[in-house]
Amino acid sequence: MERNQLSRHQWGFTLIELLVVLVILGLLASLAGPKVINYLGGAKSDSAKLQIEEFGASLDLFKLETGRYPSTQEGLQALVQQPSGLVGWNGPYLKKKMVPKDPWGNEYRYVSPGQYGAYDLSSLGGDNKEGGESENKDVSSW
């Protein structure tokens, strides 16, 4: 009976052992955490680039069918809703039949005719201001 009680007490961890494990986990999290956050920011920028490319393909199809790109006033909404008086529109040109926002929850900026091409399409990044670095860097079609 004494032997059975001794082995039962040896099954658990001591408080010091648990604290050591928690310290080690904390150190690992402090080293890995910033890397994960950097990858997350990069993923949003990559997602914005892909969305801009998808918009580009849709805008090209719009132009092919109507003979022009949507005006700045019509905006990207012209890809999902036919502008009044436009002949040849065969949309919607986006799969979800709505204009998505950028990965940071902001509207994409569309200007036609653009300064850098037939149209300029951009996202202002995480800070929603021109310029910036890392996750706040602007993503554009040019």
Side-chain angles (χ1 to χ4, degrees):
M1 189 158 175
E2 269 183 50
R3 184 174 177 195
N4 211 6
Q5 286 180 347
L6 275 176
S7 62
R8 240 200 269 165
H9 289 291
Q10 294 173 350
W11 286 351
F13 296 105
T14 66
L15 183 58
I16 292 176
E17 290 172 327
L18 290 173
L19 289 174
V20 167
V21 169
L22 288 175
V23 167
I24 291 171
L25 289 174
L27 288 171
L28 288 173
S30 69
L31 293 173
K35 295 283 186 191
V36 171
I37 290 172
N38 284 341
Y39 287 129
L40 179 61
K44 285 186 176 186
S45 294
D46 291 344
S47 177
K49 286 177 191 173
L50 289 173
Q51 280 184 326
I52 286 174
E53 287 177 15
E54 181 183 344
F55 281 132
S58 299
L59 287 165
D60 289 342
L61 184 57
F62 180 97
K63 182 180 186 228
L64 184 68
E65 293 182 349
T66 64
R68 66 173 179 85
Y69 288 109
S71 67
T72 301
Q73 292 77 21
E74 293 168 339
L76 296 174
Q77 194 63 32
L79 297 175
V80 293
Q81 223 172 37
Q82 182 175 4
S84 61
L86 184 63
V87 179
W89 191 89
N90 195 24
Y93 298 96
L94 298 176
K95 290 179 184 176
K96 294 188 178 181
K97 298 179 181 140
M98 60 175 260
V99 179
K101 295 188 177 196
D102 71 8
W104 299 277
N106 304 311
E107 300 287 333
Y108 282 97
R109 295 177 59 182
Y110 174 78
V111 178
S112 178
Q115 182 178 353
Y116 302 97
Y119 62 86
D120 293 347
L121 183 58
S122 63
S123 167
L124 296 178
D127 62 355
N128 203 26
K129 296 178 184 172
E130 289 191 20
E133 294 188 21
S134 137
E135 189 177 337
N136 295 330
K137 186 176 181 181
D138 299 348
V139 181
S140 59
S141 60
W142 60 89

